[in-house]
């Protein structure tokens, strides 16, 4: 879909703060619905507000506004590469509401984050995508991003996380 004339004037990207926690929460719920993971969402508006208000904040968010309406967001934080010896920018979530897709908003958010990563001296920018999300995979591939097929994401959470932590107390 071609971008309509005046797209640059229709789009505004801005850093979010704790006062934006409610709208970010709405976007997270919309993302969870899209990914069929709504039952996994436990974050509250208060959690988000605290994460954004910390010094330094636990996370940062860029909100995309289209003609004054919140159209999407990118939530990110810094990680660190032991091999590169520099931090990286980790994109936890990028979501554009369906009615705002096709206007270049996702590309604008990624470009903004890439620029930020370079300015901050980051060695890389990384994120994960669900393997069934072919439109996202194709979009990222066109930008030059590459999947890391040699790596498998592991996660400890819930009772498994608690059980491992308990092992330290039992020793």
């Amino acid at each position: 879909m071609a971008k309509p004339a005046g797209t640059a004037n229709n789009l505004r990207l801005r850093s979010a703060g704790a006062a934006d926690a409610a709208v970010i929460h709405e976007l997270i719920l919309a993302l969870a619905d899209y990914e069929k993971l709504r039952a996994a969402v436990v974050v509250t508006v208060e959690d988000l507000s605290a994460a954004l208000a910390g010094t330094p904040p636990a996370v940062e968010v860029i909100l995309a506004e289209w003609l004054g309406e919140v159209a999407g967001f990118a939530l990110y934080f810094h990680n660190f590469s032991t091999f590169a010896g520099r931090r990286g920018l980790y994109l936890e979530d990028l979501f554009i509401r369906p009615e705002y897709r096709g206007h270049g908003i996702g590309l604008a958010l990624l470009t903004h984050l890439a620029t930020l990563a370079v300015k901050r001296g980051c060695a890389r920018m990384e994120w994960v995508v669900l393997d069934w999300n072919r439109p996202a995979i194709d979009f990222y591939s066109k930008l030059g991003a590459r999947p890391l097929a040699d790596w498998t994401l592991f996660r400890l959470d819930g009772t498994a996380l608690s059980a491992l932590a308990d092992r330290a107390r039992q020793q």
Side-chain angles (χ1 to χ4, degrees):
M1 175 183 212
K3 285 199 255 180
T7 295
N9 295 329
N10 296 335
L11 179 63
R12 176 178 174 241
L13 301 181
R14 68 175 178 86
S15 294
D20 297 301
V23 73
I24 295 166
H25 190 260
E26 289 174 20
L27 290 163
I28 290 170
L29 293 175
L31 169 64
D33 287 340
Y34 174 75
E35 293 181 341
K36 301 169 184 66
L37 294 169
R38 181 72 175 254
V41 177
V42 296
V43 70
T44 65
V45 172
E46 293 76 19
D47 295 333
L48 291 168
S49 180
L52 289 161
T55 306
V59 297
E60 296 178 74
V61 174
I62 302 298
L63 288 175
E65 296 175 343
W66 184 261
L67 295 172
E69 298 294 322
V70 176
F73 79 116
L75 185 146
Y76 62 98
F77 53 88
H78 288 286
N79 55 17
F80 188 83
S81 168
T82 54
F83 287 7
R86 296 181 7 226
R87 66 184 178 170
L89 189 146
Y90 186 82
L91 174 60
E92 177 68 22
D93 284 313
L94 178 122
F95 179 72
I96 309 303
R97 292 181 190 203
E99 62 270 28
Y100 295 101
R101 293 179 187 159
H103 297 295
I105 298 170
L107 177 60
L109 282 167
L110 285 170
T111 301
H112 180 85
L113 291 177
T115 302
L116 184 64
V118 169
K119 282 183 184 175
R120 292 183 180 182
C122 296
R124 60 188 179 206
M125 187 168 121
E126 296 177 313
W127 61 94
V128 297
V129 60
L130 290 167
D131 59 7
W132 58 259
N133 193 345
R134 180 52 50 190
I137 292 167
D138 292 344
F139 173 66
Y140 299 142
S141 295
K142 286 178 187 173
L143 297 177
R146 58 185 170 81
L148 300 178
D150 298 348
W151 298 87
T152 300
L153 177 67
F154 280 85
R155 176 176 293 160
L156 268 178
D157 60 5
T159 56
L161 178 62
S162 296
L164 184 56
D166 286 343
R167 289 177 72 167
R169 287 192 288 261
Q170 294 170 6
Q171 294 177 359

